Amino acid sequence: MSERHQFGASEEMYLKTVFVLAETQDPVPVTALAERLKITTVSASEMVRRLQERDYLEHTPYKGVRLTAAGERQALAILRRHRLWERFLSDHLGLGWARVHDAACELEHLTDEEVIDALDRFLGWPESCPHGNPIPRVGELESATAGLPLSALRAGDEGVVLSIRKEEAVLLAHLDAHGVRPGRRFRLVEIAPYDGPRSLQIGDEMQVIGRKVAEGVLVRKDGPEDV
């Protein structure tokens, strides 16, 4: 049995989620894992135990979990499948930018590597998904998206949106409705008192997004990155 087919959809979701959360939390608290997957901490702890027994996770009590080398390899393969499907659904089927994430979450668990390799070739080996996140290449570590969180910028700063770090359907739909998408230029006009909502000028329109939302948007700031 291939390593790919030793995993069910639930186990793959755990590994992918640990990888994504580890970008900002290392080790990843089990409570954070449970919150992202919308399950109980007890359920998350049980799956962590199972994956640790199979040497895909390392768990340090009261601190959190990390992927082992084998776990990271699996997580990258899952992300590759997910982001390639997002690219196909967006570019060739015309599904909305905010809609493709959930559809790709279903397809990523149903597709073997031969099909994914063919899909990669068909798409011309794209570098990123529609949300600006890099598509891992076989045998390579994921290259982190350069950039600053929008929440780190000051009033008056200008730049361009690079990627949406936290891919969730509700969040993507919210950002889409406010015109916050990779490639869009913006000016941060105002930050409400006490680190409150951000007012952005995008094109001819003014948009307002909350601080927590801004934390998940990576941008390239014009001029020195001295924030």
Side-chain angles (χ1 to χ4, degrees):
M1 181 181 292
S2 70
E3 191 173 32
R4 157 76 177 92
H5 289 97
Q6 294 176 21
F7 287 86
S10 179
E11 293 165 312
E12 290 188 337
M13 285 299 296
Y14 272 78
L15 294 177
K16 183 179 75 171
T17 303
V18 171
F19 185 93
V20 172
L21 290 177
E23 294 179 354
T24 55
Q25 302 178 84
D26 184 27
V28 176
V30 176
T31 52
L33 182 59
E35 181 180 356
R36 175 63 69 91
L37 292 171
K38 297 179 173 59
I39 58 174
T40 66
T41 303
V42 172
S43 296
S45 297
E46 175 58 24
M47 181 61 83
V48 164
R49 182 188 64 78
R50 288 163 55 187
L51 290 170
Q52 184 178 24
E53 289 176 351
R54 298 173 62 184
D55 196 32
Y56 291 107
L57 286 179
E58 296 175 349
H59 180 218
T60 303
Y62 307 109
K63 291 187 177 180
V65 298
R66 288 190 174 99
L67 293 169
T68 63
E72 184 170 358
R73 184 168 62 250
Q74 286 300 314
L76 287 169
I78 299 160
L79 280 172
R80 177 175 177 243
R81 298 198 300 267
H82 179 91
R83 291 173 180 172
L84 283 170
W85 276 122
E86 286 186 324
R87 193 85 264 172
F88 176 80
L89 293 168
S90 175
D91 293 358
H92 293 274
L93 297 189
L95 291 187
W97 178 77
R99 171 73 178 86
V100 297
H101 174 70
D102 280 356
C105 279
E106 298 291 332
L107 291 166
E108 71 188 38
H109 307 299
L110 304 174
T111 318
D112 65 28
E113 297 310 312
E114 182 178 4
V115 173
I116 286 299
D117 288 344
L119 181 61
D120 206 357
R121 288 194 300 272
F122 173 77
L123 293 170
W125 295 279
E127 295 184 357
S128 64
C129 75
H131 311 111
N133 295 308
I135 296 174
R137 303 263 65 92
V138 175
E140 299 179 4
L141 295 178
E142 182 183 46
S143 56
T145 302
L148 297 164
L150 178 57
S151 57
L153 271 60
R154 301 187 180 114
D157 287 340
E158 299 182 13
V160 62
V161 176
L162 296 178
S163 68
I164 309 305
R165 183 161 55 189
K166 185 178 180 181
E167 291 188 29
E168 290 184 351
V170 173
L171 175 61
L172 292 172
H174 175 73
L175 290 171
D176 193 31
H178 287 74
V180 182
R181 299 180 59 167
R184 293 283 175 86
R185 294 199 58 81
F186 67 90
R187 179 173 180 269
L188 179 54
V189 177
E190 182 182 18
I191 301 174
Y194 302 103
D195 202 18
R198 273 66 176 161
S199 297
L200 305 173
Q201 183 175 353
I202 301 177
D204 296 329
E205 298 186 358
M206 193 70 68
Q207 305 287 351
V208 179
I209 63 172
R211 178 184 61 80
K212 290 294 291 184
V213 172
E215 287 177 357
V217 178
L218 292 183
V219 303
R220 183 181 70 243
K221 174 177 172 287
D222 290 346
E225 295 183 352
D226 57 353
V227 298

